[in-house]
């Protein structure tokens, strides 16, 4: 609440009015079936920093700017969320052409669309009920799309087989992750399911675990070694957790969010062996698999490494991996397309999973169509191939440039250290905060980096997410910043961050 009121000066209503309003609210609540006291307590524990108080305040400031309120800046730059198109990244032409044809099949008669776009659209429409995107699909997703996803996974993983029956289409990766956690969480007290998540983590995980009443088990990434995973830290975390819950699940985000690291092949092997030895279910969030920038870094899928380790692992380790249309070079967040592939799942559990996905009828069909285009993009010799490859390469090269630029500029600021952004689309720099600022933040009941980010928003119009929203080692402070803004705007943003940090340090030293 504090954070929402920073810098907002409002005339206080007369005392009597406040009293009256509070009494009215109390009476009002007494007659309600659903009140803050009778609602699901788990929901009250849910927090989601990426759209938390700081973003709500940013929206408020935007409104104030529109109403002519004078600020030291003219626009709010939202660098809080990996929303590529909102940040100016251009959609891939071919994808939008096919989606337009699928949405309005009359356009198939139009000569302005290339033939490969039309043939993709016809194939998708033939697989839809009544040849319409507006029809429900099968709960697991459209058959031909799942087959295309399976072929894509086989090509990606150098021929490791993929059964379309193990592929479930989802409304974005988030939908799949939450669905799997619902299957995995059970028990009470010391037998309650523990889920191991990396710290810093993407807040979807902590939010979903809070909602499901599961036990969040933290393992810390090693900031000194470019946010790598340490086997000894996984062992420490697991041993600690076994004292008070039943840890069954290990979640990995690779490439990392918010930390931007790309796990080495050796690290993935270690994790798989650890999961096998400790009898853990593996969840691999691989939505940034095309976002790899740093030299010497390469994306290795958990499935490919699992199968290369041989049958003693590939026949036993239970793994589910996730991908999405929202990130990479696509950036199509709003379409909510995604898939998950399950490996070595008990057939009886699989039947329960199908039941669970049936309850929500089906994933968004336009999202399924888009997922199909991602896994079945234009091929050499097709009319759209040249344009598609040019757009894809340009988008990814620009992101690689911006990753380097972000790291370089942030590291010129005394008191800010930023690890290389090897992949994904965020930097997660470490910030040194003066003792006086930490004290003031605590007096306001705020996390020190929340205080810092809120001040930055009020003074510069830049919206970042404090590290405390993702989790961090005690006594360290960070912020997450997306590298998505156009290069000129990113340079401006970084210059403003630099200037603000220096001013803030002087003010509180």
């Amino acid at each position: 609440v504090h954070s929402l009121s920073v810098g907002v000066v409002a005339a206080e209503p007369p005392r009597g009015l406040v009293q009256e309003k509070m009494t009215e609210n109390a009476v009002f609540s007494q007659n309600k079936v659903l009140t803050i006291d009778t609602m699901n307590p788990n929901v009250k524990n849910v927090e989601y920093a990426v759209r938390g108080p700081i973003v709500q305040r940013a929206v408020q400031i935007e409104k104030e700017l529109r109403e002519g309120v004078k600020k030291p800046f003219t626009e709010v730059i939202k660098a809080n969320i990996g929303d590529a198109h909102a940040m100016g990244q251009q959609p891939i032409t071919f994808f939008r052409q096919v989606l337009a044809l699928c949405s309005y099949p009359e356009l198939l008669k139009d000569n302005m669309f290339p033939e490969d776009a039309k043939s993709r659209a016809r194939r998708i429409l033939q697989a839809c009920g009544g040849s319409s995107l507006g029809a429900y699909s099968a709960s697991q997703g459209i058959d031909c799309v799942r087959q295309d996803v399976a072929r894509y996974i086989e090509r990606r993983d150098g021929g490791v087989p993929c059964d379309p029956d193990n592929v479930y289409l989802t409304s974005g990766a988030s939908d799949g992750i939450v669905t799997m956690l619902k299957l995995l969480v059970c028990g009470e007290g010391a037998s309650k399911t523990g889920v191991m998540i990396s710290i810093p983590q993407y807040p979807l995980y902590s939010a979903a675990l809070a909602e499901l009443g599961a036990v969040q088990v933290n393992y810390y990434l090693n900031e000194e070694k470019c946010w790598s995973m340490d086997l000894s830290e996984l062992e420490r975390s697991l041993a600690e957790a076994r004292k008070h819950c039943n840890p069954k699940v290990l979640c990995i985000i690779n490439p990392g969010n918010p930390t931007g690291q790309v796990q080495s092949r050796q690290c993935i092997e270690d994790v798989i062996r650890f999961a096998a030895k400790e009898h853990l279910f593996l969840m691999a969030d691989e939505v940034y698999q095309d976002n790899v920038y740093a030299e010497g870094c390469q994306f290795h899928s958990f499935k490919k490494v699992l199968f290369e380790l041989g049958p003693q692992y590939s026949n036993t380790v239970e793994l589910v991996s996730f991908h999405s249309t929202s990130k990479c070079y696509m950036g199509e967040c709003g379409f909510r397309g995604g898939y998950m592939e399950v490996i070595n799942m008990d057939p009886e559990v699989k039947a329960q999973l199908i039941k669970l996905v049936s309850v929500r009828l089906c994933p968004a069909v336009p999202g399924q169509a888009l997922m199909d285009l991602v896994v079945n993009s234009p091929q050499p010799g097709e009319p759209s191939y040249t344009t598609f490859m040019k757009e894809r390469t340009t988008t990814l090269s620009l992101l690689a440039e911006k990753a380097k630029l972000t790291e370089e500029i942030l590291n010129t600021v005394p008191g800010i250290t930023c690890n290389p952004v090897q992949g994904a689309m965020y930097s997660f720099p470490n910030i040194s905060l003066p003792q006086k600022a930490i004290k003031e933040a605590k007096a306001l009941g705020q996390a020190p980096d929340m205080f810092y980010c809120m001040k930055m928003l009020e003074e510069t119009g830049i919206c970042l997410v404090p590290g405390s929203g993702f989790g961090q080692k005690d006594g360290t402070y960070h912020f997450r910043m997306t590298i998505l803004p156009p290069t000129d705007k990113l340079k401006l943003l970084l210059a403003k961050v630099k200037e603000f940090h220096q001013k803030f340090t002087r003010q509180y030293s």
Side-chain angles (χ1 to χ4, degrees), residues 363-374:
V365 177
Q368 295 186 50
L370 180 61
M371 191 78 248
D372 188 61
L373 302 172
V374 172

Side-chain angles (χ1 to χ4, degrees), residues 282-334:
L282 269 179
M283 288 176 65
D285 179 338
E286 299 176 329
V287 302
Y288 295 100
Q289 54 190 262
D290 291 318
N291 298 103
V292 176
Y293 318 120
E295 238 171 274
C297 285
Q298 196 189 336
F299 170 74
H300 300 278
S301 80
F302 264 78
K303 183 187 177 187
K304 181 174 190 261
V305 177
L306 175 68
F307 276 77
E308 286 171 353
L309 284 175
Q312 71 176 108
Y313 295 102
S314 61
N315 290 341
T316 58
V317 174
E318 292 155 85
L319 166 72
V320 57
S321 58
F322 305 90
H323 194 18
S324 143
T325 61
S326 300
K327 308 301 174 185
C328 303
Y329 62 94
M330 301 84 74
E332 295 278 13
C333 306

Side-chain angles (χ1 to χ4, degrees), residues 439-460:
K439 225 167 129 184
E440 191 168 322
K442 288 184 175 162
L444 287 169
Q446 272 182 27
D449 46 16
M450 170 60 107
F451 174 74
Y452 172 93
C453 287
M454 198 54 93
K455 264 207 164 336
M456 188 187 302
L457 174 64
E458 296 291 346
E459 292 177 24
T460 66

Side-chain angles (χ1 to χ4, degrees), residues 222-234:
N222 188 336
E223 187 169 8
E224 283 67 46
K225 291 188 184 162
C226 203
W227 298 114
S228 63
M229 281 175 75
D230 285 348
L231 211 50
S232 57
E233 171 56 14
L234 287 178

Side-chain angles (χ1 to χ4, degrees), residues 92-99 101-102 108 110-124 372-373 376-389:
I92 298 291
T93 306
F94 180 76
F95 293 171
R96 288 301 182 90
Q97 284 174 333
V98 180
L99 290 168
L101 291 161
C102 287
L108 286 162
D110 198 309
N111 292 329
M112 70 176 280
F113 291 90
E115 206 38 59
D116 52 348
K118 287 182 176 180
S119 66
R120 292 289 202 292
R122 286 190 195 101
R123 181 169 178 267
I124 290 166
D372 188 61
L373 302 172
N376 183 19
S377 56
Q379 296 305 302
E382 290 190 307
S384 302
Y385 180 73
T386 310
T387 307
F388 169 76
M389 283 311 288

